Each structure stands twice: as C-alpha cells, then as structure tokens.
Amino acid sequence: MLFVCHANLCRSPLAERLARRAFDDAFGPEAAAIVTASAGTRAYDGSGMHRGSAEVLAECGVDAGGFVSRTVTAAILRDADLVLTAEGDQRAACLTLAPGAVRKAFTLRQFARFAAAVPPVTSGPAAARMHRLVAEVNATRHLAPPVPAGQDDLPDPVNQPIEAFRACAEDVWASLRSVVGAITAV
C-alpha cells in the first residue's frame, strides 16, 4: 500500500504511519504482510518528515522516527498493490508515470468511500483480504455516485498551524477506519 502526496513530507507520511498502526491494531503480527510506504510526486529524496506531521503522530502514540522522503517513480508504482493519493492531481501524476496502475490507484478518501460500499471481506489472511477488497472496489466503482470535484481530496496542512495537521490526521484516520473496517467486519 503506497500513499502519495505532493512532497512526501506531510500527508503521505501521516497516512503511511497511521495505516501501519491501524493494520497492526487490527491484525497483530499478521499485519506485517501488508506493507505501507509513501512517496511524493514532487518530493526531494531524503528529506525528513514535516515537524507538524511528526508532532501529530507523537500525539497519536505513533513513531515518526526514521522517515525519509522519496520521489514516486514508475517502478515504485508498479510494485505497489494499492496506490492511495492525497489528491486527484497526484493520482493523475501517478497514472502518467504508470498508466497500468489505473485499477489500483485512488485518492485515499475515494477508496474509503468505495470500500465502505462493498460487502466486507472477512476471511483469509490480512494481505489476501486487502487484495480482494481492491478487486471488489474495482468491480463496483462504476456504481458509486459521483461526488463534487475536490471532495475526495485531502487538504494539505503545510504552512498551516498544528490544528490543520491534526485535522489532516483525523481525515486520514476516518478513511483508514473505513478501509480496515471493510476487511475486519464480522
């Protein structure tokens, strides 16, 4: 599972680390089979996480240590089983790099909406459930009602007060609850 934003400093690192926590909490050691990573469409390789994102992760009890940014590439996109972007523009940039990723690339909010609308995938190992969820979402995505432009975008907290980073983290958590719920519901 690859999270992509603009610079790989704020939103995608938050999503990467919060997703790791959500899957670990839901599946324990079995969650290690679901790889979470991040990249940016305009990232500078090797930069540290934005201090606002790191602070919010610490408030959530999530370790922000060891993070370094990287630029998304066609190879990274090909290797990912699921690509979740912060905004539609980043999804478009990813698809320009790797057109074959079209059936596995969504904005995070969009995928969460679609995942909440499909029957839960509750049997099998966690990684297999995620694969089946992506397949279910793709099989039914054409049935989802359209939403206004920008509704599926995750607002960028950069150059904002810490409250914007907290709001971003809450948006990410809400989306992850839908995704994890779609593979853990009984």
Side-chain angles (χ1 to χ4, degrees), residues 15-73:
E16 172 190 346
R17 297 298 172 96
L18 291 175
R20 177 79 277 132
R21 174 62 160 288
F23 287 116
D24 288 349
D25 288 352
F27 292 101
E30 182 186 341
I34 300 173
V35 176
T36 62
S38 64
T41 57
R42 301 279 185 218
Y44 293 103
D45 292 342
S47 296
M49 186 184 303
H50 189 285
R51 63 179 162 27
S53 292
E55 182 177 331
V56 169
L57 286 173
E59 291 171 0
C60 295
V62 176
D63 183 19
F67 177 84
V68 292
S69 65
R70 65 182 179 156
T71 304
V72 71
T73 64

Side-chain angles (χ1 to χ4, degrees), residues 86-89 107 109-110 113 147-155 171:
E87 298 176 21
D89 288 348
T107 69
R109 284 179 165 180
Q110 177 188 46
R113 266 190 316 107
V147 297
Q151 182 174 316
D152 284 333
D153 290 349
L154 187 62
D171 281 350

Side-chain angles (χ1 to χ4, degrees), residues 10 14 50 52-53 56 157-158 160-170:
C10 299
L14 269 174
H50 189 285
S53 292
V56 169
V158 75
Q160 305 274 336
I162 193 66
E163 291 77 22
F165 287 85
R166 290 182 183 121
C168 181
E170 187 52 47

Side-chain angles (χ1 to χ4, degrees), residues 94-127:
C94 289
L95 295 178
T96 298
L97 284 171
V102 69
R103 295 188 54 75
K104 64 180 180 180
F106 307 84
T107 69
L108 173 60
R109 284 179 165 180
Q110 177 188 46
F111 189 77
R113 266 190 316 107
F114 293 165
V118 299
V121 179
T122 58
S123 64

